[in-house]
Amino acid sequence: MEEIIRNAAPAAEEPKKIILSGIQPSGIITIGNYIGAVRNWAAMQEEYDCVYCVADLHSITVRQDPATLRRRIYETLAIYMACGLDPEKNVLFVQSMVPAHAQLGWVLDCYTMFGELSRMTQFKDKSKKYEQNINAGLFTYPALMAADILLYQADLVPVGIDQKQHVELARDIANRFNQIYGDTFTIPEPYMPKVGAKIMSLAEPTKKMSKSDENANATVAVMDTKDDIIRKFKRAVTDSGSEVRYGEGKDGVNNLMAIYSAFTGKDMDAIADEFAGKGYGDFKLAVGETVADALAPAREKYEALMKDKAYLESVMKDGAERAAYRARKTLSKVYRKVGFVQPK
């Protein structure tokens, strides 16, 4: 019996779950993006099969300056790597370099209901903000987002609270397609980070921190200098009190405590104890210095990467080839099932 056990073949290793996410290169990457997304992505690369894109197709639903967009595509990829994403361990690519995204996006447009798209919160918000440019892409981009996810048969999609609705729509589309044509798509699940899922504006702490905010003091970018980071936190809106504690009616302080917690790992009670008897000025300075010091290594690596355009382009090329190989398998299956001809 012992001989049989010794010679038995080892159990097959469980395949890693697939994770897909991306960030638009249409503005700076904020500490909200970092806390809620990029930092968590880096922590996942050993445990999961990770696919991350620079979502440039999504960015043109709003008018972009072409030269600025091109520069930001490089910057976004560089920030991914500066924040710890290894191009050898992850598939890192630029979305527009993989045609299957747009191809599957059109197919899924035809399996997405008008009413579903009209209920998307971000469409409503952006329609108000960009009243002179309510284009079809702004309306249908959730179907493209579903294509991004379903192309890679993603099991999990790391998202903030405001993006969860899009993953739910992707699930609905995948289920609808599978019911019509049989098992085609993996049904994705949203992956919600436990801490720092939603970081608020430093100027208006009832609003989410946004990379498109016109108030430069409202947003802290991952690549801001140490002096800029500290200055912005010193100017952060709090309230008329002076006690550092988490509670109702203290949106500004609550936000600063959430940021401090995300960078130190301390809970709200520990933070309140640390700053007991101290005013908001001391607390704001401590938050600013903590954030700046934590981001310093990423900032240094980013600056080095941005000086090596050839290397960034080699990562783009390799990532696009790896992504396209995987995407083509799903697209070919979909095309065959809907009836398109694909000569061998």
Side-chain angles (χ1 to χ4, degrees):
M1 176 65 94
E2 289 179 357
E3 186 68 25
I4 293 172
I5 293 172
R6 280 198 299 271
N7 294 331
E13 191 173 319
E14 283 285 323
K16 291 182 177 180
K17 287 191 174 182
I18 300 169
I19 280 185
L20 181 287
S21 196
I23 293 176
Q24 293 185 36
S26 53
I28 61 172
I29 291 185
T30 72
I31 58 168
N33 302 132
Y34 175 76
I35 293 169
V38 181
R39 185 178 65 173
N40 294 316
W41 298 353
M44 295 174 183
Q45 61 191 358
E46 302 296 340
E47 186 178 351
Y48 297 98
D49 178 4
C50 300
V51 182
Y52 297 123
C53 72
V54 178
D56 56 338
L57 292 177
H58 287 288
S59 68
I60 64 169
T61 58
V62 176
R63 294 287 176 263
Q64 302 289 335
D65 173 69
T68 301
L69 179 59
R70 277 190 285 271
R71 186 188 77 246
R72 284 177 171 165
I73 289 169
Y74 284 92
E75 290 173 349
T76 304
L77 182 64
I79 288 174
Y80 281 0
M81 290 190 284
C83 290
L85 293 183
D86 185 340
E88 298 296 323
K89 295 179 180 178
N90 306 274
V91 179
L92 304 180
F93 70 101
V94 177
Q95 184 188 26
S96 64
M97 294 183 180
V98 181
H101 285 258
Q103 292 171 291
L104 182 59
W106 169 249
V107 175
L108 298 188
D109 274 344
C110 300
Y111 292 84
T112 307
M113 301 300 106
F114 183 91
E116 291 173 321
L117 294 174
S118 65
R119 289 191 291 273
M120 292 290 106
T121 302
Q122 288 203 357
F123 171 70
K124 294 175 184 177
D125 292 344
K126 287 191 175 183
S127 295
K128 292 176 183 176
K129 189 172 182 179
Y130 303 102
E131 290 182 350
Q132 303 305 312
N133 185 29
I134 306 176
N135 57 72
L138 189 64
F139 186 67
T140 65
Y141 86 91
L144 177 59
M145 188 177 292
D148 301 336
I149 297 166
L150 301 179
L151 266 175
Y152 301 95
Q153 305 293 348
D155 298 289
L156 299 170
V157 184
V159 288
I161 295 168
D162 58 327
Q163 290 288 342
K164 187 179 178 183
Q165 187 183 33
H166 291 116
V167 181
E168 291 169 349
L169 178 62
R171 288 170 54 84
D172 291 341
I173 296 169
N175 276 314
R176 182 176 298 131
F177 196 94
N178 288 353
Q179 287 169 5
I180 297 170
Y181 297 106
D183 187 28
T184 307
F185 296 121
T186 299
I187 307 302
E189 296 282 350
Y191 179 90
M192 306 288 288
K194 294 178 181 178
V195 178
K198 194 170 186 179
I199 300 301
M200 313 306 282
S201 162
L202 297 186
E204 296 180 71
T206 57
K207 290 171 45 180
K208 182 185 174 186
M209 184 178 286
S210 171
K211 58 187 178 182
S212 60
D213 199 311
E214 295 178 0
N215 184 348
N217 292 317
T219 301
V220 177
V222 171
M223 294 303 132
D224 278 346
T225 66
K226 181 171 184 175
D227 287 346
D228 283 341
I229 292 172
I230 291 173
R231 175 180 53 78
K232 289 179 181 181
F233 276 105
K234 282 183 175 179
R235 295 181 178 179
V237 170
T238 48
D239 56 64
S240 58
S242 61
E243 185 182 4
V244 178
R245 64 174 178 81
Y246 197 91
E248 189 175 346
K250 297 175 71 70
D251 297 317
V253 174
N254 292 347
N255 187 40
L256 294 178
M257 291 180 76
I259 294 169
Y260 193 65
S261 173
F263 280 95
T264 64
K266 297 178 180 179
D267 63 25
M268 298 307 171
D269 289 338
I271 295 169
D273 289 344
E274 181 181 351
F275 292 95
K278 298 179 181 179
Y280 289 162
D282 289 338
F283 179 49
K284 291 180 184 181
L285 178 61
V287 178
E289 290 180 336
T290 297
V291 172
D293 290 345
L295 294 176
R299 190 161 52 248
E300 291 174 11
K301 187 173 182 181
Y302 166 81
E303 289 170 357
L305 287 166
M306 286 301 293
K307 292 176 183 175
D308 195 347
K309 189 175 180 181
Y311 173 64
L312 289 175
E313 289 179 347
S314 73
V315 172
M316 289 180 187
K317 184 174 184 293
D318 178 66
E321 289 173 353
R322 291 165 65 196
Y325 174 77
R326 296 168 69 152
R328 278 195 300 269
K329 292 194 288 187
T330 297
L331 185 67
S332 178
K333 184 190 296 186
V334 170
Y335 270 23
R336 185 174 66 253
K337 291 196 172 189
V338 300
F340 294 160
V341 174
Q342 299 178 84
K344 294 183 178 178

